[in-house]
Amino acid sequence: MNQMVISGVHSQTFVAANLLRTEQFYTEVLGLPVVKRTVHHLDSHLPVVTFGFRSFPGEAPRGETITYVEWNPIFYMMPEKGFTDQEATNRGVASPRVGDPKGRWGAGTNHHLALHVPNRNGLLKWKRRLTDLGIHVTGPYNRNYFHACYLRDPDGAIIELATSEPGFGHDEVVLGSGFRAQPKENLIGGRDEVSVAAETWPHPVPSVTSDFALRGFHHITSISANAERTEKFFVETVGLRLIKKTDYLDEKGGTHFYYACDEDLSPGSVLTFFGLPGYLAGRLGTGLSHHFTLQVENDAALKEEHSRLGKLGVEVSSIQNAVYNQIFHFRDPDGHICALSTPTNLTVDEDADSLGQKLCLTEAGEKDRIAIERNIAYRPAPVPILE
Ligand SMILES: [Fe+2]
């Protein structure tokens, strides 16, 4: 096997209808810090808030970030070219208020982001805490390779909380060596939903303590209408490693393929796809992820991948300077927007110990700070930008 050029998962970017509400949810409910407040590098009308993960003694710091962009429609965000439907893009950009900003998952969109919880007791603590705060949680489900609960962000995007036990290696010696059918008791229709729903932590959990605080990403799951085509793309073209082929546990007839994005299969480095044959295409919008980003080590590797993917016929954007990283976007065969990026450096305009405390703007942006701050504060209707 060739050495993997991708070095892990970098980030996931979601669209929110109300960033303040999203921020309260992430900081007060989920206990994650804001690590950057800025505006989108392609359109300063779009406010952006990025959340990171706290570090814990004895544990390696986690560099993944969750970014939320607020604005409707989000069609502004695909650089250079339009969205999956050019006509809808034009309509949406020209008249955002009559666009349809609500996302709906389907083929070519993300399904959920899974965050890593240290262990199953931690999972139960999250369930109790969130439930007590009025947030509906489903699970804990036995996913055979980990245990997981599910909730929604304030806009409806699905967030999973997942343990790393027992791991991917317990039902095959060579990961990804063949299709592994799932035990009936883990499948929809076969599992005991009543006892799953009843299980929770026995005591109230008013604060997020280090024993169960979120540790970073666990995996990112998207939807494919053709699992084999997606496998070919992510293994042969992008260069990831297939580590598990199994059933989709929550809908009969679907598959679930897992891909590792780094050599040592560290938590957070996994990308997965539900294979739902013939599934309808989704639509990007609020309450859905816009894209996920994989990481390469440096600028040179990014340039190399950009040219390599372009030569292989993959639709790629130009490499953009996103202030904190260099990035380009591309699409998988279902049209899902993916990105490759260099590692993020959040300290180019803030000290490491005071991240996320001010609105960070580029030098050019500083000239328009008053207008930008005003826009973020009052969120006026966007000005049509098409003729
Ligand atoms: Fe998942």
Side-chain angles (χ1 to χ4, degrees):
M1 190 185 304
N2 292 334
Q3 182 78 17
M4 204 180 279
V5 179
I6 308 285
S7 57
V9 171
H10 173 275
S11 60
Q12 189 163 3
T13 299
F14 289 85
V15 182
N18 181 338
L19 266 188
L20 188 62
R21 182 175 64 168
T22 302
E23 185 178 326
Q24 283 168 346
F25 174 75
Y26 270 88
T27 57
E28 293 168 22
V29 177
L30 296 184
L32 299 184
V34 172
V35 294
K36 191 62 68 184
R37 291 171 202 283
T38 183
V39 290
H40 196 271
H41 69 278
L42 294 173
D43 185 342
S44 64
H45 290 94
L46 299 171
V48 171
V49 171
T50 297
F51 305 96
F53 295 89
R54 298 186 192 285
S55 41
F56 297 92
E59 297 178 22
R62 300 291 295 265
E64 303 103 351
T65 52
I66 308 167
T67 291
Y68 276 79
V69 180
E70 182 198 278
W71 200 236
N72 302 317
I74 54 167
F75 307 120
Y76 290 112
M77 276 204 56
M78 185 63 188
E80 295 161 13
K81 292 185 185 170
F83 228 74
T84 44
D85 176 350
Q86 187 60 48
E87 206 189 315
T89 302
N90 294 343
R91 274 203 310 275
V93 173
S95 308
R97 283 186 153 175
V98 299
D100 190 345
K102 184 71 185 156
R104 180 196 65 209
W105 47 260
T109 72
N110 177 252
H111 185 270
H112 62 266
L113 166 64
L115 303 175
H116 184 206
V117 176
N119 51 50
R120 199 169 183 282
N121 277 350
L123 198 60
L124 294 177
K125 286 184 180 179
W126 274 113
K127 180 174 178 182
R128 178 65 191 261
R129 171 176 170 75
L130 294 164
T131 308
D132 287 353
L133 289 167
I135 295 162
H136 180 67
V137 175
T138 52
Y141 288 118
N142 182 353
R143 297 322 208 170
N144 208 14
Y145 311 106
F146 48 88
H147 295 259
C149 283
Y150 300 82
L151 60 138
R152 288 178 183 274
D153 81 356
D155 285 288
I158 303 169
I159 306 291
E160 175 179 350
L161 306 176
T163 65
S164 40
E165 304 99 27
F168 293 105
H170 73 86
D171 64 353
E172 56 186 344
V173 176
V174 178
L175 292 179
S177 59
F179 192 89
R180 302 287 141 183
Q182 288 298 302
K184 270 204 184 69
E185 63 270 23
N186 292 355
L187 285 160
I188 193 160
R191 58 197 182 212
D192 183 350
E193 298 285 358
V194 174
S195 49
V196 167
E199 187 180 11
T200 192
W201 192 249
H203 315 290
V205 185
S207 57
V208 181
T209 46
S210 60
D211 59 312
F212 75 105
L214 300 173
R215 292 308 206 265
F217 283 18
H218 187 285
H219 61 270
I220 293 173
T221 297
S222 304
I223 302 172
S224 158
N226 182 333
E228 288 68 33
R229 185 177 65 179
T230 298
E231 177 187 346
K232 200 169 153 58
F233 181 76
F234 279 100
V235 172
E236 293 176 17
T237 305
V238 179
L240 305 184
R241 177 182 158 207
L242 180 82
I243 55 167
K244 190 69 67 184
K245 282 186 171 191
T246 186
D247 297 299
Y248 177 32
L249 294 163
D250 300 331
E251 193 167 314
K252 289 195 172 94
T255 58
H256 197 176
F257 289 10
Y258 293 71
Y259 303 88
C261 305
D262 71 5
E263 302 287 349
D264 60 3
L265 208 59
S266 59
S269 70
V270 171
L271 211 58
T272 91
F273 283 83
F274 294 149
L276 299 170
Y279 219 59
L280 284 179
R283 178 181 58 213
L284 298 190
T286 56
L288 199 65
S289 159
H290 182 270
H291 65 271
F292 63 75
T293 305
L294 305 178
Q295 184 166 296
V296 294
E297 291 293 349
N298 52 41
D299 287 4
L302 190 74
K303 279 192 188 114
E304 214 164 285
E305 284 304 283
H306 183 257
S307 118
R308 192 181 67 80
L309 289 176
K311 278 182 199 149
L312 289 171
V314 179
E315 183 190 353
V316 288
S317 75
S318 62
I319 295 178
Q320 300 145 34
N321 176 4
V323 183
Y324 309 102
N325 54 320
Q326 302 285 321
I327 188 169
F328 72 86
H329 297 79
F330 61 98
R331 290 176 187 278
D332 81 0
D334 284 284
H336 190 167
I337 302 172
C338 315
L340 272 192
S341 171
T342 55
T344 290
N345 179 4
L346 294 168
T347 59
V348 294
D349 51 11
E350 282 180 306
D351 292 338
D353 54 3
S354 59
L355 291 176
Q357 292 182 16
K358 62 171 193 200
L359 179 72
C360 292
L361 299 175
T362 59
E363 223 169 280
E366 281 297 345
K367 294 190 188 105
D368 298 325
R369 178 174 280 272
I370 290 169
I372 289 171
E373 287 186 343
R374 191 183 157 84
N375 181 72
I376 289 172
Y378 297 110
R379 302 171 174 92
V383 177
I385 57 171
L386 291 184
E387 299 282 302

